[in-house]
Amino acid sequence: MRDIAVTPLKAVIIPVTVLTQNCTLVWCTATMKAAVVDPGGDLPRIAAAIAQAGVTVEKILLTHGHIDHAGAARPLADQLGVAIEGPHEADRYWLERLDETGRQWGLDGTPFEPDRWLVERDTVTIGDLVLDVYETPGHSAGSVIFHHPPSRFALVGDVLFQGSVGRSDLPGGDHRQLIATIVTKLWPLGSETAFIPGHGQPSTFAHERATNSFVSDAALAA
């Protein structure tokens, strides 16, 4: 686990599934209330991280509906007695097929409908924290990201990675839309914003604008 401290928010990355997906435990340091973001699997590992942090989980947040991000959301929600918020309803296709896609990838998946679909300009709360929701299609039709302006921090799912961008060859994906999403939704949040992606290492928008071969300023100007 990699620990990222951003007052008044703290986040711990919990790699889960054979796809090494970044499930993230995020909490409000003032209240110690937390959310589990994208619990794709490995529930014992997630439970251990919750216990180690000493937080109370009050909800599950989903950036999108792919199996490695959402496969264990329903079992975890039932186990903790909490609601699931997100993604956008355009990812209903994936959430209804989690058992099917799970078999394809050798993962457990439980289909479900979240307690709350999310749309642009919604907010989600974690304790005293208020995170803004942005619709960010391209990787999947219903992808969303979560942004906490005071901490200059974002959870971006598989929209953007350190040095790369999300795949767009699955149903609902669109590469041109993905690039447009990054430029029009992520970059305006500020170059100083640090982000946790769905896979790989955290980064900043400034670093990606300078070095990412897909969406750097130089690449897009070429």
Side-chain angles (χ1 to χ4, degrees):
M1 293 187 295
R2 298 185 297 279
D3 204 4
I4 298 175
V6 188
T7 305
L9 172 154
K10 193 168 185 180
V12 171
I13 298 172
I14 312 160
V16 298
T17 83
V18 295
L19 300 176
T20 320
Q21 192 274 124
N22 288 338
C23 173
T24 306
L25 179 66
V26 182
W27 67 93
C28 167
T29 56
T31 64
M32 297 303 284
K33 296 292 181 65
V36 178
V37 183
D38 290 352
D42 295 327
L43 292 186
R45 185 176 297 174
I46 296 172
I50 293 169
Q52 183 176 345
V55 297
T56 300
V57 174
E58 60 179 6
K59 66 185 60 178
I60 292 168
L61 300 176
L62 297 179
T63 63
H64 63 291
H66 288 165
I67 181 66
D68 53 328
H69 291 253
R74 180 78 274 160
L76 182 60
D78 291 344
Q79 178 181 310
L80 297 176
V82 299
I84 302 171
E85 300 184 11
H88 185 278
E89 192 171 2
D91 266 13
R92 179 187 290 275
Y93 170 91
W94 291 108
L95 297 183
E96 291 178 341
R97 292 164 175 78
L98 287 172
D99 51 350
E100 299 173 24
T101 54
R103 286 191 293 270
Q104 294 170 9
W105 289 94
L107 300 171
D108 293 326
T110 303
F112 68 94
E113 180 170 328
D115 299 276
R116 179 189 178 197
W117 298 107
L118 297 174
V119 298
E120 187 90 6
R121 298 190 181 129
D122 275 348
T123 59
V124 296
T125 58
I126 307 171
D128 292 341
L129 305 174
V130 179
L131 282 70
D132 298 322
V133 175
Y134 293 87
E135 294 177 25
T136 52
H139 173 64
S140 75
S143 288
V144 299
I145 67 162
F146 304 102
H147 178 235
H148 188 242
S151 299
R152 299 176 181 176
F153 172 79
L155 294 146
V156 303
D158 287 356
V159 173
L160 177 69
F161 302 127
Q162 184 185 93
S164 189
V165 298
R167 63 186 295 182
S168 53
D169 58 332
L170 297 173
D174 183 310
H175 183 72
R176 288 188 178 181
Q177 187 177 45
L178 178 64
I179 300 304
T181 282
I182 293 168
V183 172
T184 63
K185 296 292 185 72
L186 272 59
W187 291 170
L189 301 181
S191 293
E192 69 282 2
T193 299
F195 70 92
I196 294 178
H199 302 266
Q201 297 293 321
S203 184
T204 66
F205 292 162
H207 182 75
E208 300 313 306
R209 292 189 70 167
T211 65
N212 192 302
S213 60
F214 292 90
V215 289
S216 68
D217 292 349
L220 294 176

